[in-house]
Amino acid sequence: MAKHGKRYLEAAKLVDPEKQYAPLEAAALVKKTANTKFDQTVEVHIRLGVDPRQSEEAVRGTVGLPHGTGKRVRIAVFAQGEKALEATKAGADEVGAADLVAKVDGGWLDFDVAIATPDMMGQVGKLGKVLGRKGLMPNPKAGTITMDLERTIGELKSGRVEFKLDKSAIIHLGFAKASFSEEQIVGNLGALLEAINRAKPTGLKGTYIKGVSISASMGPGIAVDVPALLAAAS
């Protein structure tokens, strides 16, 4: 069993583990449990009633969070020629072609998202072992293989995030900061739930969203009332 520090244990006393909290109540509570001097990330953990071993039940997509994530997103773009200039003007943090491929292959990974134009994927594909294990490989489902660099970079900088199912049928995502208001936290969470609902596999039977909990990055989990959350998202 994992041992928790005094700060965590004090925060855990504020949470009733048997209760499912209304969205705004949960947001207020997660702010109270973020009892550190730095601005903790607020994370969500969403348990789905799908079988992640079945490719047709893999849930993945992107969503623009209305209030952003509160985090500066560092973007690397694999592009050349005019598209490299477009990426630079749009605010990408690192832009390059073969030179950037070599830099990443050498171990440089100082970025949060990688984007590539389709013509660069022949070279970027060679970085599969480097980028794949970090979850950074450009992917068409995530919208990170694209010719529309200006729009994509703008969306990512303003709060577009990717969600995807893990092997335990759970989606884990940082979606806000503890300094956000309760309304901003619930607004981002509602937008995420709405996007996950849209990504529901066709023909799936049974309960789709089985459970939702939120927590500060160093705090205890807080179960959220799913029907109330879905109602707020609609």
Side-chain angles (χ1 to χ4, degrees):
M1 181 179 291
K3 292 184 179 180
H4 296 292
K6 181 179 178 181
R7 194 186 299 275
Y8 177 96
L9 294 174
E10 287 297 316
K13 292 177 183 178
L14 301 172
V15 182
D16 181 351
E18 301 299 322
K19 180 177 178 179
Q20 291 193 338
Y21 291 85
L24 282 172
E25 189 180 10
L29 188 53
V30 82
K31 289 169 63 66
K32 288 182 182 178
T33 61
N35 52 5
T36 56
K37 293 182 179 179
F38 65 92
D39 193 9
Q40 293 187 44
T41 296
V42 179
E43 303 170 351
V44 64
H45 311 279
I46 304 168
R47 185 163 56 91
L48 300 182
V50 299
D51 185 351
R53 297 170 298 180
Q54 306 299 321
S55 60
E56 66 272 15
E57 294 188 20
V59 178
R60 183 173 187 170
T62 61
V63 59
L65 300 177
H67 305 291
T69 62
K71 176 184 176 183
R72 178 180 175 271
V73 181
R74 300 165 300 171
I75 300 175
V77 178
F78 297 93
Q80 54 192 341
E82 292 185 1
K83 284 298 172 182
L85 292 175
E86 179 185 335
T88 300
K89 290 179 180 178
D93 299 275
E94 190 79 16
V95 181
D99 56 329
L100 183 55
V101 171
K103 187 175 180 178
V104 172
D105 196 34
W108 181 79
L109 291 169
D110 193 18
F111 54 93
D112 304 299
V113 181
I115 302 172
T117 52
D119 61 295
M120 284 297 303
M121 285 308 296
Q123 297 183 57
V124 177
K126 300 173 184 177
L127 300 174
K129 290 184 178 180
V130 179
L131 296 178
R133 62 173 172 258
K134 294 288 185 178
L136 293 170
M137 177 61 75
N139 186 295
K141 291 183 179 179
T144 47
I145 299 178
T146 180
M147 291 295 284
D148 195 350
L149 298 177
E150 182 177 4
R151 179 184 62 81
T152 302
I153 293 168
E155 288 180 352
L156 287 167
K157 290 284 187 180
S158 64
R160 193 183 90 178
V161 295
E162 179 186 4
F163 59 86
K164 56 183 177 180
L165 203 65
D166 72 4
K167 293 179 180 179
S168 301
I170 300 174
I171 291 172
H172 305 276
L173 188 69
F175 72 99
K177 287 287 185 179
S179 59
F180 284 18
S181 69
E182 289 90 339
E183 290 78 12
Q184 287 175 320
I185 292 172
V186 172
N188 276 2
L189 186 56
L192 175 61
L193 261 289
E194 191 174 11
I196 291 172
N197 251 343
R198 289 198 300 269
K200 179 179 179 179
T202 303
L204 183 71
K205 296 180 180 180
T207 303
Y208 177 46
I209 299 177
K210 289 193 167 184
V212 176
S213 69
I214 62 174
S215 67
S217 54
M218 298 179 67
I222 301 164
V224 185
D225 185 311
V226 175
L229 186 55
L230 291 173
S234 61

